[in-house]
Amino acid sequence: MPVDAPRPRVVIVGGGFGGLYCAMGLRHSSVDVTLVDRRNFHLFQPLLYQVATGGLSPANIAAPLRGILKRQKNARVWLGEVADFDVATKEVIFTDGGRLPYDILVIAAGSTHHYFGKDSEWEPIAPGLKSIEDATEIRRNVLSAFEAAEREPDPEKRKQLMTFAVVGGGPTGVEMAGAIAELAHITMRKDFRAIDPAECRVLLIEGQTRVLPMFHESLSAKAAKSLKSLGVECWLDCHVTAVTPEFVEVTFDANKETRRVATKTIVWAAGVKASGLGRKLVERLAATAEVDRGGRVSVSPDCSIPGFPECFVIGDMMSLKNAEGKPLPGVAPVAMQQGHYVADVIDRRVRGKPARAPFSYWDKGSMATIGRGRAVVEVGRLKYAGFIAWLTWLFIHILYLARFENRALVLFQWFFNYVTRNRAARLITGMPVENHPTTRG
Amino acid sequence: MPVDAPRPRVVIVGGGFGGLYCAMGLRHSSVDVTLVDRRNFHLFQPLLYQVATGGLSPANIAAPLRGILKRQKNARVWLGEVADFDVATKEVIFTDGGRLPYDILVIAAGSTHHYFGKDSEWEPIAPGLKSIEDATEIRRNVLSAFEAAEREPDPEKRKQLMTFAVVGGGPTGVEMAGAIAELAHITMRKDFRAIDPAECRVLLIEGQTRVLPMFHESLSAKAAKSLKSLGVECWLDCHVTAVTPEFVEVTFDANKETRRVATKTIVWAAGVKASGLGRKLVERLAATAEVDRGGRVSVSPDCSIPGFPECFVIGDMMSLKNAEGKPLPGVAPVAMQQGHYVADVIDRRVRGKPARAPFSYWDKGSMATIGRGRAVVEVGRLKYAGFIAWLTWLFIHILYLARFENRALVLFQWFFNYVTRNRAARLITGMPVENHPTTRG
């Protein structure tokens, strides 16, 4: 390539694990990187449930993208929401009509909540946990429910206010249910006079026959035991059939029994679907790539769209099978590794080096925490639970969090906040109390 | 009093400096205290400008009221917004219709923004700085303006986006203007590629002939000098005549000259008025107490409403003159001291002890900070500025903040956040970018 040829423009849509790691992976590449996100920060999603239960502040788990990339001279950050693609002119189109040209496109826009067809009805009542605003909304709902119960003279209404339903028994649901139970039984125990928060009811609703179904059975059993000791009730092998501001209704698959539980706080941790941008790009390209029901794009082994080597889809938005033929899960480590991988693919191409071997996911294992001091870890055939698992979980999270901030600061701040059971961030912000559903007339 | 007589019920409206210090002051009293607030936390308002410029998170300056009072057995917290009073039955009435009986009433509901008659037109455009939501809204506006400028091709529009107007040259306005300038000139200096944040324009608009007019002239001069070196332009002896989403208009009192400045971000630090509850209570009681234009109730020397010794009004809501005949300012130390004072008055009454002497404000001085490392301090005739003044300011604030939290934690967290210029809390939260006024079509 002649010295003064323009450098390839790489546009990365999404500043989450996939997009950010891709941008950083290109720091020594002779390309111009533009990282686009509709938010100005990178969010460490695995810890959103901590914000949702007042254990951490948003700023503890989010880092401004500009701060992270400021020393990377070939990268810039562009705040905007991508709506469409002009594949003829090779431009990304924003919701406000603005356009951004690309030579290489990496789509890493993540996923959003999936309500199985009931999005418009259920979403306003049962927030998911994918964004900072989701987390602060859940926080507001949970804390306001206790506040309203303190003032409620009617025992039936009080019971309703002190009932919490978490839908989905994967890591997110288990973590949320455990954290709400901890908030009630430990942190806020002495804060009220008319009610005893420990008398609240926390329900965890799961469609399969065990919680954490993606983990080994023995770990599911340990998690269930920990949840029980925390005061969480697990309803298994059932699915939600109604979500209203007054109750949640569940049907058990085995005997078709239907149960209705009066509650004012429902958290949705049950399903995700990919950002619609994957399907949109495939349509615009008139590509033959399959897009599954969850919106995930089936990519080539190098994470590009079949037939369009300049377009990559990574993270929660893509569908790819691992060496054993099993589809890769929509988890952070997959996105991170694909981000780095695609950066390398692009770099080799630009340098004229031989192509990289197909993407191969290095499964370093899975973890889920059930509450302070309890977790489960599964790495290959190694499985363990309890306090050591929790320390592992804590350590890994601090390590990844600290990548983007002053390490000493994050470590200390986070460690103190979390370990001292402080939950100092349990503020009800964002909505005047008289407008809150739990305190409206 | 017979042993089994019911204890007097003290209802305190407002969990700010006045109300909270009053509640805590009654901890050894034979009374039942109910602290009512429409928020579930105590807010350290002097540091709101730090949240507004991304230097601190809301949780760094707010502490849950229940957490603060949980060990005080005679106190409970009631979340609700007071709308009215039934003085016949001696009950406080909430917006949702609920009622709370009292024997002794302490109103400490603070103050809100004052737009000099233009509240409904100017408030949506130029937020004040009195609540957490104000602060995060300003933060969103300031950060979004830079983001939009980065993407803006038109130089005139870019200049408009990078112009910030702060109305009001008291401590709040000076602190905001200095912090925005610091954000642009230091923290975010390398974060952008298309713009240089240091080229922004920060205007401080003040009606009197000097900034910090309540301080000694020599300190006003020092503050003005510090502001100038930070890049803040001070427009003095002028008042705002128009506030729109595209510009702010100012008329100079001396020569009647009018200037219009194109800006998309205006912060209102220019005036406060008392909560309307003071006037409402006076009306309901049919008391003869004067209520001034700002809504402040003229109280007796013991802070009660003349003729109604069971009703107290303290803090920003009251009007009282000091020993020299000057009205007490609406600042935190006044509210804190009055809170303690009224608690003592009530306690003596309950115990049948002689009444306390009239309230006497112990003026421990005033401080204002202009940016990192610069402040002014005035204590009686002692006046100093510069770095030592800033250390004083830092120390006093940490001391007061730490009263309500684990001291070591707050000290460290806050110290690190602030001193390392981290401004890690500069997240744009709460509104999707395409809906933001600075990025709308």
Side-chain angles (χ1 to χ4, degrees), chain B residues 22-34:
Chain B
C22 184
M24 296 191 305
L26 287 167
R27 65 188 171 283
H28 299 305
S29 234
S30 299
V31 295
D32 288 328
V33 179
T34 304

Side-chain angles (χ1 to χ4, degrees), chain B residues 1-9 30-32 103 350:
Chain B
M1 244 175 164
V3 165
D4 54 353
R7 290 150 51 107
R9 294 160 301 187
S30 299
V31 295
D32 288 328
D103 296 305
V350 167

Side-chain angles (χ1 to χ4, degrees), chain A residues 38-41 57-59 62-64 66-67 69-73 75-81 94-96 98 132-133 143 147 150-151 187 190-193 405-406 408-409 412-413 416-417 420 422-431 433-434 439, chain B residues 38-41 57-59 62-64 66-67 69-73 75-81 94-96 98 132-133 143 147 150-151 187 190-193 405-406 408-409 412-413 416-417 420 422-431 433-434 439:
Chain A
R38 49 189 181 175
R39 315 311 301 279
N40 75 326
F41 54 85
S57 285
R66 295 189 177 285
L69 290 174
K70 78 177 175 193
R71 282 186 207 81
Q72 186 169 329
K73 293 203 176 350
R76 65 178 177 172
V77 176
W78 210 245
L79 190 77
E81 176 155 12
F94 294 99
T95 46
D96 62 10
I132 289 281
E133 287 75 19
L143 298 180
E147 292 288 348
E150 172 83 340
R151 285 185 53 191
T187 316
K190 296 203 177 70
D191 283 11
F192 295 85
R193 302 284 179 258
E405 288 284 348
N406 181 311
L409 172 62
F412 194 89
Q413 252 191 358
F416 242 77
N417 261 347
T420 59
N422 201 4
R423 296 208 183 270
R426 45 190 168 92
L427 315 176
I428 300 176
T429 57
M431 188 188 288
V433 70
E434 72 274 7
T439 54
Chain B
R38 49 189 181 175
R39 314 312 301 281
N40 75 327
F41 54 86
S57 285
R66 295 188 179 287
L69 291 174
K70 79 176 172 191
R71 283 188 205 80
Q72 187 168 331
K73 294 206 178 347
R76 64 176 178 172
V77 176
W78 210 246
L79 190 78
E81 176 155 13
F94 294 100
T95 47
D96 62 11
I132 289 280
E133 287 76 18
L143 296 180
E147 291 288 347
E150 173 82 341
R151 285 185 52 189
T187 317
K190 295 203 177 74
D191 283 11
F192 295 85
R193 302 285 178 257
E405 288 285 347
N406 179 314
L409 172 62
F412 194 90
Q413 250 191 359
F416 241 77
N417 262 348
T420 56
N422 201 3
R423 295 207 183 271
R426 47 190 169 92
L427 314 175
I428 301 176
T429 57
M431 189 187 289
V433 70
E434 71 274 6
T439 53

Side-chain angles (χ1 to χ4, degrees), chain A residues 80-355:
Chain A
E81 176 155 12
V82 173
D84 210 334
F85 306 92
D86 186 334
V87 296
T89 58
K90 288 177 98 174
E91 285 173 315
V92 145
I93 305 173
F94 294 99
T95 46
D96 62 10
R99 287 166 167 258
L100 187 64
Y102 65 84
D103 297 306
I104 298 167
L105 185 61
V106 180
I107 309 290
S111 53
T112 179
H113 324 119
H114 187 35
Y115 292 85
F116 308 116
K118 301 273 194 185
D119 287 48
S120 52
E121 299 132 66
W122 290 3
E123 184 167 22
I125 302 164
L129 195 56
K130 272 271 163 202
S131 70
I132 289 281
E133 287 75 19
D134 283 348
T136 52
E137 183 183 356
I138 292 171
R139 178 178 76 184
R140 188 164 52 245
N141 292 352
V142 171
L143 298 180
S144 298
F146 284 106
E147 292 288 348
E150 172 83 340
R151 285 185 53 191
E152 178 58 63
D154 180 337
E156 280 306 307
K157 286 193 180 153
R158 202 160 56 228
K159 197 166 147 212
Q160 180 190 37
L161 286 163
M162 286 182 39
T163 300
F164 302 88
V166 179
V167 183
T172 303
V174 165
E175 285 161 355
M176 268 304 303
I180 294 175
E182 240 179 33
L183 190 65
H185 288 256
I186 301 171
T187 316
M188 302 206 299
R189 194 67 196 265
K190 296 203 177 70
D191 283 11
F192 295 85
R193 302 284 179 258
I195 62 167
D196 179 2
E199 285 173 9
C200 74
R201 196 180 177 196
V202 184
L203 278 176
L204 182 57
I205 297 165
E206 163 58 34
Q208 302 208 34
T209 49
R210 52 190 176 99
V211 293
L212 298 183
M214 62 291 289
F215 284 71
H216 188 269
E217 285 166 328
S218 60
L219 294 179
S220 292
K222 293 207 161 109
K225 203 167 145 198
S226 296
L227 282 168
K228 188 171 175 187
S229 72
L230 268 177
V232 176
E233 278 175 63
C234 296
W235 285 4
L236 306 167
D237 202 26
C238 61
H239 61 276
V240 168
T241 42
V243 167
T244 80
E246 301 294 329
F247 62 83
V248 65
E249 197 179 79
V250 160
T251 299
F252 287 80
D253 297 329
N255 57 9
K256 305 288 171 254
E257 174 200 347
T258 295
R259 275 187 220 170
R260 184 178 280 201
V261 180
T263 175
K264 299 219 65 114
T265 312
I266 306 170
V267 179
W268 194 264
V272 292
K273 60 182 189 226
S275 153
L277 287 179
R279 189 183 295 278
K280 179 141 288 181
L281 179 59
V282 164
E283 280 172 13
R284 294 284 178 254
L285 291 171
T288 54
E290 267 180 48
V291 180
D292 70 16
R293 268 189 336 172
R296 282 172 287 261
V297 179
S298 259
V299 293
S300 301
D302 72 350
C303 297
S304 63
I305 295 180
F308 298 89
E310 77 283 7
C311 294
F312 297 90
V313 182
I314 60 175
D316 287 9
M317 295 184 66
M318 66 83 224
S319 172
L320 191 61
K321 291 184 166 56
N322 69 4
E324 285 89 44
K326 289 175 61 178
L328 291 172
V331 295
V334 170
M336 287 186 225
Q337 291 183 27
Q338 287 186 333
H340 267 155
Y341 173 84
V342 164
D344 190 39
V345 167
I346 292 170
D347 185 59
R348 285 166 174 256
R349 217 182 270 177
V350 167
R351 290 183 202 274
K353 280 160 103 187

